[in-house]
Amino acid sequence: MTWFRDMRRKRQQLSNEESIAILEKATAGTLALLGDDDYPYAVPISYVYHEGKLYFHSALSGHKVDAIRKCEKASFCIIEQDDVQPKKYTTFFRSVIAFGRIRIIEDETEKLETARMLGNRYNPNDDESLQKELESGFSRMLMIRFDIEHLTGKEAIELIKQRSI
């Protein structure tokens, strides 16, 4: 098991439950991978969170797919709140970072199940449209699974102070 650093500013750390709530609420984040020539490659992407895992979809090829096949380690970041406070020279933020292992789903049953989960996340209660979309595009789609090994959330100290008033 990999060792992950403790957060330096512990009093700003969100609980695991709060971090998961942000993952469940947000609709997009930035996936960071080891890209070409070992340069970091970070890409904004839609996702769905389910039972300690993140799921993404992708085309069959491209920089992201190449990076995933090259190295399974990845991170994923979400900024839930970023309220700029110009006169205070700061932001009131809430964010989450997940670290883990990422892989392309090869099993067709798992791939279909996760594609449905993602489709229902962004267009709930429209099974007919989802079925049509899957029938027309499933063969040209990859589904990707990110197993979260470490999750941290953090918020601005000012937000903590506001809640305690």
Side-chain angles (χ1 to χ4, degrees):
M1 180 73 175
T2 303
W3 173 81
F4 293 96
R5 293 179 186 219
D6 289 333
M7 185 176 292
R8 189 172 55 85
R9 294 187 173 180
K10 289 192 183 306
R11 67 184 193 154
Q12 290 180 258
Q13 187 167 347
L14 298 173
S15 70
N16 197 54
E17 293 76 20
E18 290 171 304
S19 296
I20 289 171
I22 290 170
L23 287 177
E24 290 174 336
K25 178 183 172 189
T27 59
T30 303
L31 177 63
L33 305 162
L34 185 62
D36 294 344
D37 293 324
D38 294 339
Y39 279 94
Y41 177 68
V43 59
I45 191 168
S46 306
Y47 72 97
V48 64
Y49 171 83
H50 183 71
E51 297 180 351
K53 296 171 181 31
L54 300 166
Y55 296 95
F56 314 97
H57 78 286
S58 173
L60 298 175
S61 63
H63 195 165
K64 176 176 61 226
V65 174
D66 292 345
I68 291 168
R69 292 190 192 282
K70 175 183 172 183
C71 180
E72 67 177 2
K73 293 179 181 176
S75 68
F76 185 69
C77 177
I78 294 169
I79 300 171
E80 180 197 42
Q81 179 177 338
D82 185 32
D83 184 12
V84 176
Q85 301 291 308
K87 293 184 185 211
K88 296 181 181 183
Y89 296 95
T90 192
T91 61
F92 293 179
F93 68 90
R94 286 172 58 94
S95 61
V96 172
I97 301 175
F99 295 89
R101 310 233 176 219
I102 192 166
R103 69 173 182 82
I104 294 165
I105 297 172
E106 303 293 347
D107 179 79
E108 288 295 310
T109 303
E110 184 183 5
K111 178 182 171 185
L112 182 58
E113 182 180 299
T114 56
R116 286 188 185 285
M117 202 177 349
L118 192 66
N120 285 322
R121 170 78 164 98
Y122 291 92
N123 187 20
N125 306 316
D126 192 356
D127 292 336
E128 187 177 325
S129 290
L130 177 56
Q131 184 60 34
K132 286 179 185 176
E133 184 66 25
L134 291 173
E135 286 172 6
S136 69
F138 189 71
S139 64
R140 297 182 312 279
M141 172 194 323
L142 289 180
M143 290 303 298
I144 299 164
R145 185 176 93 192
F146 181 109
D147 295 315
I148 298 172
E149 295 178 340
H150 184 69
L151 183 67
T152 58
K154 185 177 179 182
E155 69 181 338
I157 197 72
E158 294 84 358
L159 294 176
I160 296 168
K161 290 176 183 176
Q162 284 177 0
R163 280 201 318 268
S164 63
I165 293 175

